[in-house]
């Protein structure tokens, strides 16, 4: 069975919403423990965060709300794709606006996060 299907954008957008929903609940660390590949990383403006450090950083962190838009999927083969989108999240007066790219690989029967990158919107 081929992992890349016509409903791939819907699958990846759903997976990304699951991650944001987990972060909003304050259990992003638990979610990404299962959702990230063993060698997965998060890239932010000034560093690359290894999987274990990313999971620890997400544990207990939360946002009040988020909105995703401008979705685009780039297929990278039979078992990999990148979801690119814009997000706006809010926590109190703090606003987080970024363009994000999450590269997923199909592994162990599900889509898993291999690389997640955040780019500031100026």
């Amino acid at each position: 069975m081929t992992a890349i299907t016509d409903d791939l954008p819907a699958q990846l957008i759903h997976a990304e919403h699951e991650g944001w929903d987990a972060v909003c609940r304050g259990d992003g660390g638990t979610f990404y423990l299962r959702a990230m590949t063993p060698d997965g990383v998060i890239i932010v403006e000034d560093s690359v965060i290894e999987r274990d450090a990313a999971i620890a950083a997400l544990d207990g962190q939360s946002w009040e709300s988020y909105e995703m838009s401008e979705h685009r999927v780039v297929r990278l083969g039979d078992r990999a794709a990148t979801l690119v989108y814009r997000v706006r999240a809010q926590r109190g007066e703090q606003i987080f606006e970024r363009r994000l790219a999450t590269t997923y690989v199909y592994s162990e029967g599900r889509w898993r996060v291999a690389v997640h990158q955040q780019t500031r919107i100026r």
Side-chain angles (χ1 to χ4, degrees), residues 50-91:
E50 300 293 332
R51 178 183 185 265
D52 291 344
I55 289 167
L58 289 168
D59 195 31
Q61 182 185 164
S62 66
W63 292 95
E64 293 169 5
S65 63
Y66 73 94
E67 295 175 13
M68 293 171 47
S69 62
E70 302 177 26
H71 304 92
R72 180 176 177 185
V73 172
V74 179
R75 296 169 190 251
L76 304 172
D78 286 344
R79 296 192 175 265
T82 299
L83 172 64
V84 178
Y85 65 98
R86 182 180 184 138
V87 72
R88 182 180 193 276
Q90 186 166 354
R91 174 175 40 220

Side-chain angles (χ1 to χ4, degrees), residues 27 56 77 106-107:
D27 64 348
Y106 195 79
S107 173

Side-chain angles (χ1 to χ4, degrees), residues 28-30 32-34 36 42 49-59:
T30 301
Y32 283 102
L33 179 64
R34 181 180 170 277
M36 287 184 82
I42 295 179
I49 305 168
E50 300 293 332
R51 178 183 185 265
D52 291 344
I55 289 167
L58 289 168
D59 195 31

